[in-house]
Amino acid sequence: MTDILYSLNEHERNCPEQIAIKHNEDTITYRQLNQYANTLAEVIKDAQSPLIVYGHMSPFMIVGMIASIKAGCGYVPIDTSIPEERIHSIIGKIQPSFILNTTEAQMEFNNCEVLDTSVFNRDSLITEFESQMKGDDIAYTIFTSGSTGEPKGVQIRYESLNEFTEWMVSLNQLGDHQQWLNQAPFSFDLSVMSIYPCLATAGTLHLVDKTMINKPKLLNQMLEEAKINVWVSTPSFMEMCLMLPNLAEASYGNLKEFFFCGEILAHRTAKMLLQRFPSAYIYNTYGPTEATVAVTSIQITEDVLAQYNPLPIGLPRPGTTLSLADKDELVIAGKCVSEGYVKDEVRSQAVFKTDKQQKHYYTGDKAVFENDQWFITGRIDFQVKLNGYRMELEEIEFQMRQVDIVKEAIVVPVYKDNKVTQLQGVVVLNNPLDIDDEQSVIHDIKQALKQVMPEYMIPRKIIFKSQFPLTANGKLDRKQIAEDVLA
Ligand code: AMP
């Protein structure tokens, strides 16, 4: 069985000077990764709550993760895109003893020590640290959107992380010492799909930051220089990159393997990619954060493209079983299933059940098993994915209703080819809107939302109604509201 910490000790012995993590000019070798992590683990070894690792794409974020696993407390990653109020809500829930701040920004919280990267500026780093992490300890907790307005902290055990890593390593056809690309911010569990399989196989992890994502020229430059072999991203990110005309086998001969997860992989995206990289291995994988990143996979070949449209999500990984509950809801069972939401009995009990000593997670995804393959066909609730980001429409609506001028709010997702392309907020105000004020009211609502939600959750367009239609039993008629907006 894979053990990430064991692998890192081996790599320190076998390839100490190999670069483990790279972001622009910042690099960390396998020796540094292990020794920095030992040094931090020694500082936090008595912590009773997870380490918060705060920052964007600093290699020290990963040092913090490994250190927290060694120390036995695990970590909670927080990206700089998370607004302050949300950070406070996460910190309030976790009550951390330590925060590793990898940015230049000042941070201060009550009852908690904020460490910065000067903790690693020592003449002598610690060379040995005996891991305190056990299989059923929580390795990480990732917060995801919650319909009541409060994010949910999904707790993943170390053995689930190891099992996931082992499966990913078995899918990887290229072997050890590859150059891996990580696109997702660390607050999203898609990043787990590149971090641990890369580190377990002594690869080099290249971190894509938000500046590169916004400037295709920088991204192109990074991709060319890094000579990436293994690509891990959302399909949306790939769609954006396919606009780079030279992203094809002729210019990127090293790029041989692609892993996608987090949202629908559109048939046309996969087809275009296979045309550009005919000899590459392309995988569509599926899974929720609550079941350790991904639980199914299928390699997309010419045959698969010819046989299926839309594409299936494939078959479950070893140790995991899938079944259907009421309304064709997909249920995942196995060691991959999370320990539950942190300090949240009510929401945990609603979706995590134990049956015959096996943990089950009720995903909210609608699915069907057909032609020997699993397919996702929709949701039984109001969760959506926009550019790979998961969000509950009800959370956005809750936050919109908190804005004092707003009486009622509904968020309508706009779809193209089965994928959400943008969100539109439909609002009834407390006082009738003076038409001259429309732009400034929209601005005020968006500003208020920015304080409490990441930018990607804020509806692009906001429109006003004088009242909402109701259904026969008196509820807001979402369907009618959406139809009116999209008409
Ligand atoms: P997250 O917890 O952010 O990873 O989001 C999990 C949700 O993303 C799943 O419950 C699905 O709704 C959706 N999802 C993830 N992967 C896929 C996929 N390959 N195809 C379709 N939907 C997916």
Side-chain angles (χ1 to χ4, degrees), residues 46-84:
D46 295 324
Q48 295 302 313
S49 49
L51 171 75
I52 304 275
V53 287
Y54 177 76
H56 187 48
M57 286 298 171
S58 162
F60 286 115
M61 291 288 282
I62 294 173
V63 172
M65 297 173 195
I66 302 298
S68 75
I69 296 178
K70 287 183 182 239
C73 60
Y75 63 92
V76 178
I78 303 187
D79 186 71
T80 48
S81 62
I82 309 289
E84 214 174 305

Side-chain angles (χ1 to χ4, degrees), residues 189 262-264 284-289 313 365 379 385 390:
D189 78 337
E263 59 182 348
I264 292 168
N284 183 24
T285 74
Y286 155 89
T289 307
I313 56 162
D365 287 318
R379 291 283 307 173
K385 280 285 178 128
R390 163 173 163 179

Side-chain angles (χ1 to χ4, degrees), residues 357-393:
Q357 293 177 334
Q358 269 236 313
K359 285 186 201 306
H360 290 65
Y361 171 61
Y362 285 66
T363 61
D365 287 318
K366 274 192 199 169
V368 60
F369 188 71
E370 249 173 33
N371 300 328
D372 298 326
Q373 293 291 332
W374 283 97
F375 293 81
I376 298 295
T377 56
R379 291 283 307 173
I380 63 163
D381 58 11
F382 301 113
Q383 181 181 300
V384 296
K385 280 285 178 128
L386 175 58
N387 295 328
Y389 294 117
R390 163 173 163 179
M391 55 197 87
E392 304 274 352
L393 298 180

Side-chain angles (χ1 to χ4, degrees), residues 140-158:
Y140 66 80
T141 302
I142 283 187
F143 278 82
T144 179
S145 176
S147 57
T148 56
E150 214 192 308
K152 299 178 284 200
V154 182
Q155 306 178 96
I156 298 297
R157 284 168 292 117
Y158 186 52

Side-chain angles (χ1 to χ4, degrees), residues 375-424:
F375 293 81
I376 298 295
T377 56
R379 291 283 307 173
I380 63 163
D381 58 11
F382 301 113
Q383 181 181 300
V384 296
K385 280 285 178 128
L386 175 58
N387 295 328
Y389 294 117
R390 163 173 163 179
M391 55 197 87
E392 304 274 352
L393 298 180
E394 289 153 300
E395 175 175 4
I396 307 172
E397 290 160 0
F398 172 89
Q399 297 295 4
M400 289 179 90
R401 285 197 300 271
Q402 303 305 301
V403 183
D404 51 10
I405 51 174
V406 174
K407 184 170 167 203
E408 250 326 326
I410 287 285
V411 176
V412 176
V414 181
Y415 286 85
K416 192 175 167 217
D417 296 338
N418 285 329
K419 263 179 96 164
V420 178
T421 54
Q422 62 162 281
L423 301 178
Q424 296 198 0

